[in-house]
Amino acid sequence: MSEGALAQGMSVLGRVPGVAFVLVALIAVFASMSPGFSTAPNLTNILVQSSILLLLALPMTFIIMTEGLDLSIGAVLTLGSVVLAAVALATGSLTVGFIAALAIGLAFGLLNGWLIAWLDIPPFVTTLGTLGVAQGLCLVITDGTSIVGLPSGLQFFYSGYFLGIPFPLVIAAIAYAVMHGILYHTRLGTYVPALGGNREALRHAGVNDRVVLAVIYGIGGLMAGIAALLLTSRISSAHPTAAIGMEFDAIAAVAVGGTQFERGEGWLLGTLLGVITIGVLRNGLNLLAMPSSIQVICVGLLVIVALFFDGMRKAQE
Amino acid sequence: MSQIEAAAPKFKLTVSRDLTDVAYRLLAVALICIALSLVSDAFLTANNLLNVLRQASLVFFMASGLTLVILTGKIDLSIGATVGLSACVAATVIKSTGSPWLGAAAAIGVGSIVGLGNGLMVTKLRIPSFIATYGMLWVAQGATYYYMSGQSVYGFPTGFRALGSGYLFGIPIPIYLMVAFLVIGYFFTKRTTYGQQIYAIGANTVAARLSGIPVNSRLNLVFVLSGAMAGLASLIYLARLNSAEGDIGETLTLPTIAAVVIGGTSLFGGVGSLFGTFIGGLILTLILNGMNLLNLNANWQPLVTGLIVLLAVWLDMKTRSKTDSN
Amino acid sequence: MKKAVLLISMLNVAGFVGPATAADETIAVFTKNQTNPFFESVRVGTANAAKAVGVKLIQYVPIKPDSIPEQTSQVEDAIVKKPNALLFIPVDYKAMVPAIEKVNAAGIPVTGLTDRLAGGQLVSFIGAEDYRLGLETGQSLLKAMGGKGNVVALEGVKGSISNTDRMKGFNDALKEFPNVKLLTTQPANYQRLQALQVMENIMQTHPQIDGVYTANDAMATGAVEAMAAANRKAFVVGINGSQEAIDLIKAGKMHATGSSDPFMQGCLGLLTTVRALRKMPVQKELMVTPVIIDSSNLKQYDVPVASRSCPKLEDVAAK
């Protein structure tokens, strides 16, 4: 019995991605070196800061599991924020603005899905193109300036509390639960790894893989729309370059979390760990007052080291 | 010998594809040029065309090395950061030694080392190239920031400056360099075993390995070449702008990838050409040139670029699926 | 005039140590990026002054240049660290308001620097009027052109407050010179390479360009290189007073650069913050007077940032 438990324990340990070890190591280092690090307010601070990235990284996990990629998600988030602000300002209603942001996010997600699934344009190129389009629209709509003067109720969504929990964490937790539910407890979820691992088999089983792909990219756009609410609330304004480049942070978080770029192997919890690891690293380096140039190098090394561990483990198997 | 035979049928196919792809692209360039010359008198002048080619040369040098990487089915996201790091190191070397040759060696050396690092991460550590080079992007960027500590280095010898701003028989020197590398690149990719192996790896890595191609060492080679070309691009940058600062590389990577993609090189590997990349870079340069000549708001530039990327690749998919079914 | 006073006080060698309470005071300094020499000069100024008065500094710089979410996170992290005060240059003067409101709520005093925030509570603001900088740099250019001819303008990042004000200043300068024709205004995003390429393109449609106004020195150098490569000549002006621009003016390749003395902004910003911490009187607003550096006054400003020194803590309020 104990042997079986041990074997089970080992196999669970074997599934733990390199990022978990990195995360534990980072927390140990920062907690011992910086007194402010392991306080409740700071840990909450890290989680709240990570919420927007998590909203992008969750659907990115799905997308990467299908052997896809979404480079446009940061620009779509920014566009969502710009549209939210512009519409809210024009109509005086945050609700209408938020709906518009969701709509524009969903539209871009479905557009990506359509271009990829029906026109067979590779995901990297498709989303590189839509990245340009979304970024261009941001600049054109705002003429490069920030949009301010939004209703003050907006700030609640990033700074407010719900039952004593910071509101962004509530949204992030719901998003995680929903995405977890979709991936592990629905039929759609079973299609996701199959799209990456064995698309032919899926087709033979009579599944319309194009529709599934479109839905997955659509979810990505929708999540970007939700993230737009948090981002806009966080800076009480919309700025045409606010989240440019965040797509790469999201992809890095997914990769660091152990999701493979091939064969449809992925793990949603790993993505959560990846997002938190990036948040912990940045926060800890800030608390240690590390020079910015060293911080830049550390971010790069984190990605390489986490993936290196994964590679080592794979090689052992 | 056997590996050449294995690659040969594939090779013929890519040539015919390349020809049609390139023909379509030349047609597109011609259409853009005709449209621009109709709306602006200044467009179709020898001066402006040389100007466009000179501007395109910088993109070409970055994109040509990247094309080799993409032909093998990999990607190099660190290219802009590599240009930035090479430029800054070369600039300080030129300033402190006064020798452009040492500077050039430094630029290409730094680029090659970064490239080798990328290659080893991909081949030895088995990290996907997208992530490995993304990590390298940050490392190279951080090293550049650390090295420059917020300063800029400027003022290079006139002889070196000629590389970027000089003329020979009325034609800017970077254009000669671009043509030279286009020709060398053509022979390298199309007429050498190395080149054929690169295409073969991109078309089917497993088959390539089985047919005896040393896949890992070829992958290392393309990453090193990509880094070295980034180093060369950084020299052109220095010679043209006479100055280096930490943020050079920030905005260069995505347009470079866009140039390769618009040029018809497939991100799946195995299909594409350097000449296509040259045209891709030319199209991107023409967009900015046209917008400036017409006094259009440059805010539209990313949007137009995005649409052209989508259009170019969509047309490729259409024409290729036709050639394949024939 | 103010400038002259500052210069005299610069001669006082740094190392004048303030009251002994200093050792445990920590000030968090926020700048926009680690690539623009302007902010490096600001940081050198703050470090220089901090050494003189004996306070500890933490420099926060976003790792992605000018990133709004990142500076927001850094502010949140700084609140955890509880420095005694913040000296703050916002990456965006509107979008960073909520972050500063959080600092206000945490009871940490904030001194504004360089770009004026659109909201939040500031102990004091130290900066330069970008409008005046644009106006006077523009006037210098248009006068050099003899009040006639064709001028081209290269803009910085659209929507940034520095660019908006510098362009407004320039356009007002233009109104004083009715015989100067503005050919075109194009954005080059404060970047050298973009300025070079945009200038090369503009030269194709405009055979006669007599003056080029750029909203920072990096773009000015790009424009200078573009003109030189085409064997054309024009008066080029920039803004920031960078060493590179000063060297170009010395070489006769550039006409002038408007300077808001980032080093001095750093000094004054830090010293004002310290004064407020030590309950010494501070001015609500302290503006560094713009200086137009051209061949006539070049020598005075051709001093490397590292060998300059800050005014004394006691002298700051007198300005």
Side-chain angles (χ1 to χ4, degrees), chain B residues 55 154 161 240 245 289 295, chain C residues 184 186 200-201 225 247:
Chain B
Q55 292 186 357
Y154 53 90
R161 296 293 315 284
R240 288 200 69 196
E245 58 205 337
N289 182 257
N295 205 2
Chain C
T184 177
Q186 291 273 338
E200 283 171 346
N201 291 339
E225 294 306 332
D247 287 352

Side-chain angles (χ1 to χ4, degrees), chain B residues 67-84:
Chain B
T67 306
L68 298 181
V69 174
I70 294 181
L71 279 176
T72 66
K74 306 291 177 191
I75 185 90
D76 184 355
L77 295 179
S78 70
I79 202 128
T82 312
V83 173

Side-chain angles (χ1 to χ4, degrees), chain B residues 235-322:
Chain B
L235 289 173
I236 305 290
Y237 181 100
L238 289 181
R240 288 200 69 196
L241 284 137
N242 202 19
S243 174
E245 58 205 337
D247 65 351
I248 291 175
E250 296 288 340
T251 52
L252 295 178
T253 302
L254 286 184
T256 306
I257 296 175
V260 177
V261 166
I262 293 175
T265 298
S266 160
L267 286 162
F268 296 126
V271 182
S273 69
L274 279 178
F275 192 71
T277 297
F278 160 69
I279 297 175
L282 198 58
I283 291 176
L284 278 185
T285 313
L286 282 170
I287 297 172
L288 178 69
N289 182 257
M291 286 185 148
N292 286 150
L293 293 190
L294 297 176
N295 205 2
L296 289 179
N297 190 332
N299 280 342
W300 289 91
Q301 198 190 337
L303 197 147
V304 174
T305 308
L307 289 177
I308 290 180
V309 166
L310 288 174
L311 188 69
V313 178
W314 177 65
L315 287 175
D316 274 347
M317 302 303 292
K318 287 203 74 130
T319 54
R320 277 177 198 158
S321 59
K322 229 178 260 168

Side-chain angles (χ1 to χ4, degrees), chain A residues 270-296:
Chain A
T271 297
L272 178 63
L273 292 177
V275 169
I276 294 176
T277 306
I278 291 178
V280 164
L281 178 73
R282 301 286 280 274
N283 171 271
L285 292 174
N286 277 340
L287 291 193
L288 291 179
M290 204 60 94
S292 197
S293 53
I294 304 295
Q295 294 201 19
V296 178

